[in-house]
């Protein structure tokens, strides 16, 4: 597994067929948008080669298909992290999609809008709109992509984990048009060193400031503190965190796991002593590979 992960760092398309990137809303207007020039930028200065997208206002969904004979019918929507200020599209996006393809999972990398008052009427719901639209779109076109509409998960890192957990706890409140009543509930969540809470004591202030502002209301803080939004209908979750994470404290995952337990939602939590924040697919401080643990969990849950 380690050799596979290292190979994907440099050759993420090895396990995949050609990718298809599409506008998330097709030819329809992007909801909740203000007229503004496209100011999106790409930074490729990271090492190893990593692409970071900023000022995203034109959301897209990129389909990564495994070979036809390998497809399991399971799909995962991938949400890269970046504090709601940029998107780490390589080590938390394309590399993850290629690895999922190696399992026969169809991956959908979501380039979601980043909160910005200049491009959005209400920046607090922009990313969630894109996550809900991605779930809606994959369910609507499941047959076209060889996907089982009852096996659609969402995976996110850091602030992308906050978005994924928001999708998993706010699905009963659509923030997009949904005239056909398509279920917006992901069937499972995979959360890697996720931002969960916006509480002052444990939350990641940067993600909170970028999404709901530097002077949010108590109601806004509670709404997007997802450990407080868990119900009996919240989908099962798999969580990974490092105890020494100084960017997003591990208590975020612990609080979410406890909330899931209280509501009898199946969940699995892996906490590594070291690893810090942002290690992506490979935590270099341990010989244990969290993707191996995820394979076991997906298999036990009937998604593989």
């Amino acid at each position: 597994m380690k050799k596979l992960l290292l190979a994907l760092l440099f050759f993420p398309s090895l396990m995949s067929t050609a990718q298809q990137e599409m506008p998330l809303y097709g030819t329809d207007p992007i909801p909740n948008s203000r007229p503004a020039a496209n100011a999106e930028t790409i930074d490729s200065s990271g090492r190893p080669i990593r692409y970071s997208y900023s000022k995203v206002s034109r959301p897209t969904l990129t389909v990564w298909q495994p070979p036809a004979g390998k497809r399991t019918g399971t799909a995962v929507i991938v949400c890269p992290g970046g504090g709601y200020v940029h998107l780490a599209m390589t080590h938390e996006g394309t590399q993850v999609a290629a690895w999922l393809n190696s399992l026969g999972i169809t991956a959908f990398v979501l380039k979601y809008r980043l909160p910005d008052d200049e491009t959005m009427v209400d920046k607090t719901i922009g990313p969630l709109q894109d996550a809900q639209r991605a779930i809606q779109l994959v369910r609507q076109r499941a047959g076209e992509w060889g996907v089982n509409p009852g096996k659609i998960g969402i995976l996110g890192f850091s602030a992308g984990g906050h978005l994924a957990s928001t999708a998993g706890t706010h699905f009963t409140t659509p923030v997009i048009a949904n005239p056909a009543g398509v279920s917006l509930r992901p069937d499972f969540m995979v959360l890697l060193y996720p931002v969960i809470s916006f509480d002052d004591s444990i939350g990641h202030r940067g993600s909170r400031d970028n999404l709901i502002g530097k002077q949010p209301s108590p109601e806004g803080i509670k709404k997007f503190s997802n450990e407080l939004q868990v119900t009996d209908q919240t989908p099962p979750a798999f969580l990974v965190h490092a105890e020494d994470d100084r960017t997003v404290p591990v208590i975020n995952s612990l609080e979410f796991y406890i909330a899931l337990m209280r509501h009898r939602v199946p969940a699995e939590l892996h906490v590594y002593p070291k690893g810090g924040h942002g290690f992506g697919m490979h935590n270099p401080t341990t010989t244990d590979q969290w993707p191996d643990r995820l394979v076991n969990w997906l298999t036990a849950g009937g998604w593989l």
Side-chain angles (χ1 to χ4, degrees), residues 48-69:
I49 297 174
R50 293 181 176 182
Y51 290 88
S52 174
Y53 287 67
S54 302
K55 294 287 184 179
V56 177
S57 62
R58 309 289 196 271
T60 67
L61 194 66
T62 302
V63 186
W64 287 64
Q65 280 281 20

Side-chain angles (χ1 to χ4, degrees), residues 237-241 250 253-255 257-258 267-271:
F238 177 93
L239 299 101
V240 174
H241 223 119
V250 67
S253 285
L254 297 176
E255 290 286 354
Y257 179 74
I258 290 169
E268 185 167 312
L269 168 65
H270 293 269
V271 177

Side-chain angles (χ1 to χ4, degrees), residues 119-250:
T119 61
M120 299 179 190
V121 177
D122 180 357
K123 70 177 183 178
T124 70
I125 63 170
L128 179 58
Q129 287 179 309
D130 295 348
Q132 289 189 348
R133 171 58 180 162
I135 295 168
Q136 180 191 60
L137 186 63
V138 173
R139 281 218 165 91
Q140 287 176 327
R141 299 175 61 176
E144 174 185 341
W145 289 317
V147 167
N148 182 332
K151 293 185 176 182
I152 299 172
I154 192 164
L155 179 155
F157 295 81
S158 194
H162 183 265
L163 178 56
S165 66
T166 305
T169 53
H170 291 66
F171 57 87
T172 59
T173 308
V175 288
I176 58 170
N178 191 24
V182 175
S183 172
L184 303 179
R185 177 186 182 271
D187 293 298
F188 58 88
M189 299 178 288
V190 180
L191 309 175
L192 294 311
Y193 39 88
V195 177
I196 294 292
S197 183
F198 279 176
D199 183 85
D200 284 332
S201 62
I202 65 172
H204 181 245
R205 183 57 66 89
S207 295
R208 189 180 89 170
D209 289 353
N210 290 325
L211 185 66
I212 62 174
K214 294 184 178 181
Q215 295 182 318
S217 67
E219 294 76 18
I221 292 173
K222 180 179 179 181
K223 177 180 179 180
F224 289 103
S225 291
N226 292 327
E227 78 279 14
L228 304 178
Q229 306 304 324
V230 174
T231 71
D232 295 353
Q233 301 305 312
T234 300
F238 177 93
L239 299 101
V240 174
H241 223 119
E243 186 179 339
D244 67 348
D245 190 331
R246 298 293 178 259
T247 302
V248 178
V250 67

Side-chain angles (χ1 to χ4, degrees), residues 1-2 5 238-241 268-275 279-296:
M1 175 61 74
K2 183 176 180 180
L5 294 177
F238 177 93
L239 299 101
V240 174
H241 223 119
E268 185 167 312
L269 168 65
H270 293 269
V271 177
Y272 294 101
K274 296 181 179 180
F279 49 78
M281 293 288 292
H282 173 58
N283 181 345
T285 72
T286 175
T287 58
D288 187 73
Q289 303 295 325
W290 69 258
D292 291 339
R293 310 285 77 77
L294 177 57
V295 169
N296 294 339

